[in-house]
Amino acid sequence: MNVADSEVIGSILKVSGYEVCDKIEDADLILLNTCSIRDNAEQKIYGRLDQLNAARRGKDTMIGVVGCMAERVKEELIKNYKVNIVAGPDTYLSLPELIAQAELGHAAMNIELSTTETYRDVIPMRICSGKVSGYISIMRGCNNFCHYCVVPYTRGRERSRDAATIVNEARSLFENGYREVTLLGQNVNSYGKVHIDGTLSCVNATFEDAYSGGLDLHLAFQIGRNRRFIVGVFWQDSEGIIFCHVCLFMMQKYTNFLD
């Protein structure tokens, strides 16, 4: 997920005239895209910030923290770790303005969560992945509010991208030589249940649909072959078990699969 978000950020900053550099020593701006799902992940960022602050002494290099940790820790990153820019996962479009503030010597922060932002019009800059497999975010946020999980508080409520923008992004990947697409989301099973405008969507292909017959996999594969898009479908559950399309076809024959 962070790889996909980093590629969105790269695209946004490229439009504003920024370029990706290969060596951290050459960077005018260093952005750490962060996770808050485990304390260990945050501790690694704190350690990395200490290293970066020591390395930039006497330089004008700016440091920014973006993503879930920025949303959770907020101004403490500025106060305790001398971070110049703090941006939550729904505020990447404001990064050029935040950077401009930081260049003037002001600490800049935007951690406002959105109920509509999906970055649907941003074609990610493919800077983190190879030329075989690409990532596409199809929805953001989560409505489950599990007692052990921070995702609804750092990523906001569920909202789905409309299918047309997802297809356009997949087509762009295909035209640039990619042959595998991974669809991403905090809760991909909920894709399409609630659209970004709050209304119910007709697009709702969940795992349950796959084995109960709600999703016609045979039809999907036939359409895919005719249009030269779909050559394989894999479904990974929360335990990391991967189901290939053959397994999904078999599941469709049974109504008591979960029993």
Side-chain angles (χ1 to χ4, degrees):
M1 196 73 208
N2 276 12
V3 170
D5 276 8
S6 294
E7 294 179 338
V8 167
I9 292 170
S11 180
I12 293 170
L13 294 185
K14 182 179 180 180
V15 173
S16 298
Y18 295 90
E19 296 180 359
V20 177
C21 61
D22 296 324
K23 297 181 179 180
I24 196 169
E25 296 82 6
D26 299 332
D28 299 308
L29 170 66
I30 301 171
L31 294 178
L32 301 182
N33 195 359
T34 61
C35 174
S36 279
I37 200 67
R38 297 285 188 275
D39 178 68
N40 185 51
E42 292 192 353
Q43 294 304 319
K44 288 182 178 179
I45 293 298
Y46 288 136
R48 187 64 170 145
L49 287 173
D50 287 337
Q51 294 174 359
L52 292 174
N53 278 319
R56 71 168 175 172
R57 286 174 184 165
K59 301 179 181 179
D60 295 327
T61 307
M62 296 181 294
I63 297 176
V65 174
V66 302
C68 292
M69 188 172 171
E71 189 69 41
R72 196 191 74 80
V73 183
K74 303 178 175 65
E75 62 272 357
E76 289 184 25
L77 292 165
I78 297 172
K79 185 187 304 181
N80 299 330
Y81 292 90
K82 302 177 181 178
V83 170
N84 305 101
I85 300 164
V86 176
D90 290 345
T91 66
Y92 298 149
L93 290 174
S94 70
L95 276 172
E97 290 77 15
L98 297 176
I99 294 171
Q101 292 180 38
E103 287 175 339
L104 295 175
H106 307 297
M109 181 172 70
N110 186 352
I111 54 171
E112 183 177 356
L113 289 176
S114 170
T115 58
T116 59
E117 184 61 76
T118 61
Y119 303 107
R120 51 171 287 176
D121 296 321
V122 178
I123 297 296
M125 174 190 283
R126 306 298 172 178
I127 57 177
C128 300
S129 56
K131 273 284 190 178
V132 176
S133 180
Y135 298 101
I136 299 179
S137 294
I138 64 173
M139 59 89 65
R140 300 179 72 86
C142 182
N143 289 347
N144 288 338
F145 289 93
C146 302
H147 73 279
Y148 56 83
C149 185
V150 299
V151 167
Y153 305 99
T154 59
R155 287 277 181 172
R157 304 303 294 269
E158 288 176 2
R159 62 272 190 197
S160 300
R161 287 177 60 181
D162 61 277
T165 64
I166 298 171
V167 171
N168 288 339
E169 190 172 332
R171 183 178 289 112
S172 175
L173 283 172
F174 180 77
E175 291 173 350
N176 284 279
Y178 290 80
R179 289 300 177 266
E180 181 180 82
V181 171
T182 301
L183 303 181
L184 300 174
Q186 276 68 44
N187 189 8
V188 292
N189 277 20
S190 294
Y191 173 76
K193 289 183 178 178
V194 179
H195 212 287
I196 58 173
D197 61 1
T199 60
L200 293 177
S201 171
C202 61
V203 181
N204 184 16
T206 66
F207 181 71
E208 289 80 4
D209 292 327
Y211 75 81
S212 66
L215 174 61
D216 192 332
L217 290 170
H218 291 281
L219 178 60
F221 268 80
Q222 188 59 45
I223 293 173
R225 291 192 184 100
N226 291 341
R227 297 184 180 180
R228 301 197 321 159
F229 278 120
I230 301 176
V231 295
V233 174
F234 297 88
W235 190 287
Q236 181 170 340
D237 71 1
S238 59
E239 296 182 355
I241 300 173
I242 298 177
F243 298 88
C244 69
H245 63 275
V246 176
C247 294
L248 296 178
F249 284 142
M250 294 177 64
M251 292 174 192
Q252 284 187 309
K253 300 178 182 178
Y254 302 96
T255 59
N256 62 340
F257 178 73
L258 293 181
D259 294 342

